[in-house]
Amino acid sequence: MLRGFHALPTEKRVREMKNRDYLWCLANSLLDREEELERLCPACREWALEERCPVCGQVRGDGEDHMDNPAFDRARFERLKGGEPG
């Protein structure tokens, strides 16, 4: 968050901030982002919400859920989620 304000943690104005100040900044940043998205047409909004590479801008993934844990058993998870025994 401090990056958005071009502030370093060692600056006096930052050291004087309280937890509620950080929360206020975060909440307002989220609201600002929502307002920006609401101004876009549906196609541009969809494009803006896609997960993209920060370097080249290419869409990451194919839209499906991607897991970072290779040991995760999706089939067993779905069975347990449905109430079936493991």
Side-chain angles (χ1 to χ4, degrees):
M1 177 182 324
L2 297 178
R3 184 184 312 161
F5 293 105
H6 305 286
L8 295 172
T10 55
E11 291 182 38
K12 183 178 186 240
R13 63 182 174 145
V14 174
R15 287 189 317 233
E16 292 175 350
M17 288 179 68
K18 297 183 177 7
N19 287 338
R20 67 174 180 253
D21 299 324
Y22 286 102
L23 181 60
W24 185 87
C25 288
L26 178 61
N28 280 287
S29 296
L30 293 172
L31 291 173
D32 290 346
R33 172 75 172 147
E34 284 182 19
E35 287 177 3
E36 289 174 10
L37 290 172
E38 287 175 1
R39 293 179 38 215
L40 299 175
C41 70
C44 290
R45 186 177 309 122
E46 185 177 327
W47 185 87
L49 291 172
E50 289 176 339
E51 188 175 343
R52 298 185 170 274
C53 171
V55 177
C56 69
Q58 184 175 2
V59 176
R60 291 183 45 195
D62 54 7
E64 295 182 16
D65 291 334
H66 294 281
M67 298 180 295
D68 294 329
N69 184 355
F72 183 75
D73 185 351
R74 165 86 45 202
R76 182 169 184 259
F77 173 77
E78 293 298 331
R79 285 194 312 273
L80 292 173
K81 186 171 87 171
E84 297 177 28

